């Protein structure tokens, strides 16, 4: 595990002290290995006995990869060989494999923001025609905001959704109660007030108002900014595709990070998934913005959690004139087929199965936890997910409308890095004001997209 990946505690089982949830989830786990293949997968499977696919994934999906490999081989006879890398290396690994002529990778699940660059570099296949000609994929069931963001560049599609990563706000109910708060914050101003109060009251005892992801990486500091941009009603690009990161909403989002910085778990500039999640699980922070699967880990004794049954989850706060909470699609990963694979049909067969409603539903509640979030309406609204994790189901419903997604076209990864670098300077006291910072980002984005 590296600091830039979700911690490996996501792969540990939940405790046996939760009979009401455990009995349901345990039964689902037992059934998971007998999932039927979809019609689009079953036909190719008979001819695929003994074949192999090499699948590239990030380290936080290692648990999911084990489940997928075991289940798919049992159903089809096809061996899945996972290759696991840190999230920030997957695009480079995939590009080098294809452009060098090594061509060892057949399927990959990169960060959705990178698909525009991967497509432009000839690394992944255009799957538009296959998707349109395969009704069994049931693409109308994908959560609309996730489906387009994760798969589409221009008018072409390059994959199918895998992990529907969104951020929500987790809170420690005991810490809030002993500091006089009977509900989590609905606005970013209320969030700041609660965090300040808790840090002032309890930092002497090693307890802080919030763990804020601040390490200089698009999926860490960039995620924290995106959460606030969503809350203030801003966007990365306007409807014409022009950068819009110098708007009042975008500036307010940056200022909100500046304001929370002195009151966060120390030191926010070095806080990534590992540090933040460890602080949350040992009860050292009242709030953390995180993926919904953190709720599964929070109930796990074997993960080292001390907060089981002492936490709640809610949608992200709002700010400024905004009144409706929006989901922030801060991560998210897409099943793609490599450009030079000799196993295109088999690769398509696998990703059709891996992106199916049945598989997504099973991954949401599998034991041990897989770290996978909903990507389909049917799995989000499934009885199994709602029974096991009703709070997470309700929070994830925010993805159904008006979610904030990162740009996905060519140069999108560069745009995310420019933003992250400038925010890091701002928070280190080297970038001037929030207004000046976001004006620089706007100018750099315009230059980058104008090249």
């Amino acid at each position: 595990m590296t600091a830039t990946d979700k911690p490996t505690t996501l792969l540990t089982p939940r405790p046996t002290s939760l009979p009401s949830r455990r009995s349901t989830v345990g039964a689902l786990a037992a059934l998971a290995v007998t999932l039927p293949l979809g019609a689009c997968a079953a036909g190719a499977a008979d001819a695929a006995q003994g074949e192999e696919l090499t699948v590239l994934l990030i380290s936080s999906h290692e648990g999911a990869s084990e489940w997928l490999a075991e289940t798919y081989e049992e159903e089809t006879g096809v061996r899945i060989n996972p290759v696991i890398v840190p999230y920030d290396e997957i695009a480079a690994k995939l590009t080098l494999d294809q452009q060098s002529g090594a061509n060892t990778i057949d399927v990959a699940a990169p960060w959705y923001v990178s698909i525009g660059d991967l497509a432009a570099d000839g690394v992944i296949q255009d799957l538009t025609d296959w998707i349109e000609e395969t009704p069994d994929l049931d693409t109308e069931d994908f959560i609309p905001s996730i489906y387009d963001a994760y798969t589409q560049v221009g008018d072409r599609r390059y994959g199918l959704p895998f992990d529907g990563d969104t951020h929500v706000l987790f809170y420690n109910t005991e810490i809030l109660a002993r500091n006089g708060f009977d509900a989590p914050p609905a606005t970013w101003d209320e969030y700041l007030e609660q965090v300040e109060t808790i840090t002032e009251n309890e930092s002497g005892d090693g307890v802080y108002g919030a763990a804020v992801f601040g390490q200089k990486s698009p999926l860490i500091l960039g995620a924290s900014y995106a959460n606030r941009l969503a809350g203030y009603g801003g966007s990365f690009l306007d409807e014409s595709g022009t950068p819009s990161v110098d708007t009042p909403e975008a500036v307010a989002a940056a200022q909100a990070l500046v304001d929370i910085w002195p009151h966060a778990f120390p030191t926010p500039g070095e806080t990534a998934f590992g540090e933040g999640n460890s602080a949350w699980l040992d009860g050292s922070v009242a709030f953390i913005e995180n993926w919904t699967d953190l709720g599964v880990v929070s109930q796990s004794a074997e993960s080292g959690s001390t907060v089981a049954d002492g936490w709640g989850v809610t949608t992200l706060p709002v700010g400024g004139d905004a009144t409706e909470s929006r989901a922030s699609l801060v991560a998210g990963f897409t099943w793609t087929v490599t450009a030079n694979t000799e196993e295109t049909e088999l690769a398509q067969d696998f990703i059709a199965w891996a992106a199916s409603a049945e598989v997504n539903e099973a991954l949401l509640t599998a034991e041990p936890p897989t770290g996978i979030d909903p990507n389909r309406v049917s799995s989000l609204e499934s009885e199994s997910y709602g029974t096991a994790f009703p709070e997470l189901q309700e929070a994830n419903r925010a993805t159904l409308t008006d979610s904030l997604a990162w740009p996905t076209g060519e140069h999108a990864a560069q745009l995310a890095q420019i933003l992250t670098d400038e925010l890091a300077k701002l928070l280190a006291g080297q970038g001037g004001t929030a207004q000046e910072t976001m004006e620089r980002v706007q100018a750099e984005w315009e230059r980058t997209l104008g090249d």
Side-chain angles (χ1 to χ4, degrees), residues 428-449:
Q430 302 168 354
T433 66
Q435 179 74 48
E436 292 167 341
T437 295
M438 300 315 296
E439 287 175 353
R440 287 196 303 273
V441 175
Q442 175 78 12
E444 285 295 319
W445 278 31
E446 289 175 353
R447 278 194 289 271
T448 299
L449 294 179

Side-chain angles (χ1 to χ4, degrees), residues 122-137:
V123 174
I124 58 177
Q125 292 188 29
D126 182 340
L127 299 179
T128 307
D129 294 342
W130 170 68
I131 291 171
E132 291 178 350
E133 295 166 0
T134 311
D136 286 331
L137 294 174

